[in-house]
Amino acid sequence: MVRVRFAPSPTGYLHVGGARTALFNWLFARHTGGTFILRIEDTDRERSTDEAIEQIVDSLRWLGLDWDEYYRQTERHERHLEAAESLLRSGAAYEKDGAWWFRVPEGGDTVVHDELVGDVRFSNEQLKDFVIRRSDGTFIYNFVVVVDDVDMGITHVIRGDEHLNNTPKQMRIYQALGYPMPLFYHLPMILGADRGKLSKRHGATSVLEYRDRGILPDALVNFLVRLGWAHGDEEVFSRDDLVRLFTLDGLNKSAAVFEDAKLLWLNQQHLKREDLAALAELARPLVVARGRVSEAMWAQADPARLLAGANLLRDRARTLHDLALAMEMLFPVPLEREASPAPSPAQTALMLAMADAIEAVSPYMPETIEAAVRAVLEANAATLKDVALACRLAVTGRKAGPGLFEMLAAIEPAVVAARLRDSASGGPA
RNA sequence: GUCCCCAUCAUCUAGCGGCCCAGGAUACCGGGUUUUCAUCCCGGCGACAGGGGUUCAAAUCCCCUUGGGGACGCCA
């Protein structure tokens, strides 16, 4: 039975590198029907904060990475003490200046068998004795990680590359305690655009920042999984796809650069595929937060019409904010119109005629609207091209957008008519 | 400085000795479709870091160089 864990230290927000490590662990657990454990490594009491724990938990929840078991390392102090005392008794550790030190034998090599990287040989001369318990009585990472992984029955340790050099020390502790070892997988890092360590100067590094930028959790998950994992030529994966397809032998050994362009493209792909009603609910708070559309207006809107509008607009959005911005046009609120020349007298006349015709259309749907509009055009010896842009601008505030008649059908007829008349009279909206 | 890891288009990657004078995706540049924009479709640009081996045959295996990253804490 597979048991894996994600073990962040709560000294800051969850960054995308940590999120990817969590994701690989989660996917492996879900793929195999195993157990995914969240373990907060808070033994550094100086730097650990509850705020950081909250941020990490919020981030994982938003990403949809749910855990089956939860631990805080400091709550396991008694168990750590018990294990450390046994090391003291056996002579594997000793006390000096109030701290407890683990004794590393001189000479020989320690070979780490990494399932991803292969065998890595470390000379024991490089491994000096190291502290496992501070003089204030708290324990050090390299020690507790072993005790906890064994107690929790961890079968596969999947973690960042930066821990590879710690592994021989940990192996020594496994041996001294007489514990069986898990399988190790050390993942390559995520780099910034300059191939340096990913940091603030490369833009957003926090998971929550991507949420705030209007990225869908499934899109970030899709993007992160492709940094170091591939399944043939496929690019767009749903969460279910990933759970079904993910295996550890698809993992890559080299570091990857995080670039926004593809994330945005993937976000667009997921925006197009997301369940429409669910997507509208995601957009709802963002639309309301913009200040023009009230919750009441949203509630009063015809649901079918609203979803039809959202469906048209989603194809042109790369983020939820793009969608929220565009969706304002679906409500009876004043529009900000893109700058453009005022309609000509001929266009004005056409739009006024169209306003009357559209109000009379029944049932109100793209086909019937188109028929009514074309009738007006024919009666006035005009073509759609003569008035399409002015009409679109009048009703949606924009020069570009979805098909005109579908768009009109997604907005209440009275609002469409009013906007056409206002625009024809040079009014505000 | 010492130790460790990594190395295919600008970026993410496929490739796990012959199917590769290297395939897909993003980005970029053209064209088509459309009332417009986006989508979509078609096309273009573009890489096996360098040098030695091994082999009938190497992007694929080995070594060196170079480059990048990581670790050397009473941090995790």
Side-chain angles (χ1 to χ4, degrees):
Chain A
M1 195 50 146
V2 166
R3 289 178 61 84
V4 292
R5 83 307 198 272
F6 175 56
S9 69
T11 53
Y13 57 81
L14 182 66
H15 59 88
V16 291
R20 191 188 54 155
T21 301
L23 175 61
F24 286 155
N25 276 283
W26 182 86
L27 283 172
F28 183 53
R30 294 294 172 257
H31 176 76
T32 56
T35 302
F36 177 63
I37 296 167
L38 175 60
R39 187 174 74 216
I40 304 294
E41 309 229 316
D42 56 349
T43 51
D44 182 351
R45 286 178 171 160
E46 292 286 308
R47 298 195 300 154
S48 298
T49 66
D50 287 344
E51 294 70 49
I53 295 178
E54 272 174 45
Q55 275 232 29
I56 290 167
V57 164
D58 285 351
S59 300
L60 291 173
R61 287 209 174 114
W62 177 71
L63 283 170
L65 307 184
D66 56 325
W67 49 93
D68 307 303
E69 295 174 22
Y70 175 87
Y71 302 95
R72 282 183 67 159
Q73 216 154 36
T74 47
E75 289 169 355
R76 294 178 36 79
H77 184 263
E78 291 308 312
R79 179 72 253 278
H80 300 149
L81 185 59
E82 183 184 310
E85 282 173 339
S86 81
L87 289 181
L88 221 46
R89 277 196 302 276
S90 70
Y94 58 91
E95 181 167 358
K96 185 179 144 203
D97 301 336
W100 295 7
W101 293 72
F102 185 79
R103 199 188 306 278
V104 178
E106 296 189 13
D109 293 336
T110 300
V111 178
V112 174
H113 302 286
D114 187 288
E115 303 301 315
L116 197 58
V117 181
D119 285 1
V120 185
R121 183 174 299 273
F122 294 87
S123 163
N124 284 347
E125 286 170 37
Q126 303 289 334
L127 269 53
K128 296 168 294 193
D129 291 3
F130 57 93
V131 171
I132 59 173
R133 190 191 194 207
R134 302 181 184 87
S135 39
D136 70 359
T138 59
F139 289 96
I140 295 286
Y141 165 76
N142 276 129
F143 174 68
V144 291
V145 71
V146 172
V147 176
D148 287 349
D149 282 343
V150 170
D151 282 1
M152 294 171 194
I154 301 302
T155 54
H156 304 250
V157 169
I158 305 164
R159 80 225 305 193
D161 226 354
E162 69 272 19
H163 291 290
L164 183 56
N165 288 290
N166 284 323
T167 310
K169 290 182 182 175
Q170 294 165 18
M171 284 177 64
R172 286 288 168 184
I173 293 175
Y174 278 100
Q175 286 159 0
L177 255 14
Y179 288 159
M181 262 180 275
L183 263 22
F184 292 107
Y185 294 77
H186 287 96
L187 303 169
M189 299 194 56
I190 296 180
L191 272 23
D194 58 1
R195 299 209 77 89
K197 196 167 186 162
L198 193 63
S199 71
K200 279 289 176 193
R201 73 204 146 77
H202 301 108
T205 58
S206 151
V207 167
L208 261 19
E209 285 179 70
Y210 287 95
R211 178 197 62 188
D212 296 343
R213 279 173 53 181
I215 301 296
L216 258 15
D218 281 13
L220 220 210
V221 160
N222 193 158
F223 178 73
L224 289 176
V225 82
R226 287 285 291 105
L227 257 31
W229 181 85
H231 185 261
D233 284 339
E234 288 183 52
E235 294 289 349
V236 183
F237 299 92
S238 71
R239 189 169 298 255
D240 288 346
D241 289 339
L242 291 175
V243 168
R244 183 165 42 81
L245 298 172
F246 183 82
T247 56
L248 293 173
D249 48 61
L251 288 177
N252 228 44
K253 291 202 289 188
S254 51
V257 171
F258 190 105
E259 269 205 337
D260 271 1
K262 195 163 183 175
L263 171 61
L264 255 359
W265 174 77
L266 274 173
N267 202 228
Q268 185 175 25
Q269 298 303 312
H270 279 86
L271 244 13
K272 290 168 69 165
R273 289 164 171 78
E274 175 77 52
D275 175 79
L276 184 56
L279 183 64
E281 280 311 307
L282 288 173
R284 182 176 183 160
L286 301 183
V287 172
V288 172
R290 295 186 53 78
R292 282 197 172 87
V293 177
S294 65
E295 277 288 354
M297 279 184 216
W298 187 293
Q300 284 158 15
D302 177 80
R305 189 133 63 208
L306 186 56
L307 290 187
N311 197 33
L312 294 172
L313 265 9
R314 85 211 284 199
D315 278 354
R316 268 142 276 253
R318 286 175 91 81
T319 70
L320 278 175
H321 292 300
D322 293 343
L323 179 60
L325 173 64
M327 281 182 74
E328 283 188 338
M329 71 177 65
L330 304 174
F331 297 87
V333 296
L335 296 179
E336 260 178 53
R337 294 218 178 85
E338 288 179 37
S340 127
S344 66
Q347 287 174 324
T348 300
L350 281 171
M351 288 199 287
L352 287 173
M354 282 166 58
D356 294 340
I358 285 169
E359 270 183 321
V361 166
S362 178
Y364 189 71
M365 53 195 284
E367 296 76 10
T368 52
I369 295 167
E370 176 164 6
V373 168
R374 288 200 186 276
V376 169
L377 292 171
E378 205 168 325
N380 292 277
T383 66
L384 186 58
K385 277 197 175 187
D386 293 332
V387 77
L389 178 64
C391 182
R392 175 187 300 286
L393 198 66
V395 178
T396 70
R398 300 182 173 205
K399 294 179 186 172
L404 185 59
F405 302 112
E406 287 181 296
M407 202 58 236
L408 294 178
I411 301 172
E412 275 182 65
V415 174
V416 170
R419 285 178 180 165
L420 285 170
R421 290 183 184 121
D422 285 345
S423 185
S425 69

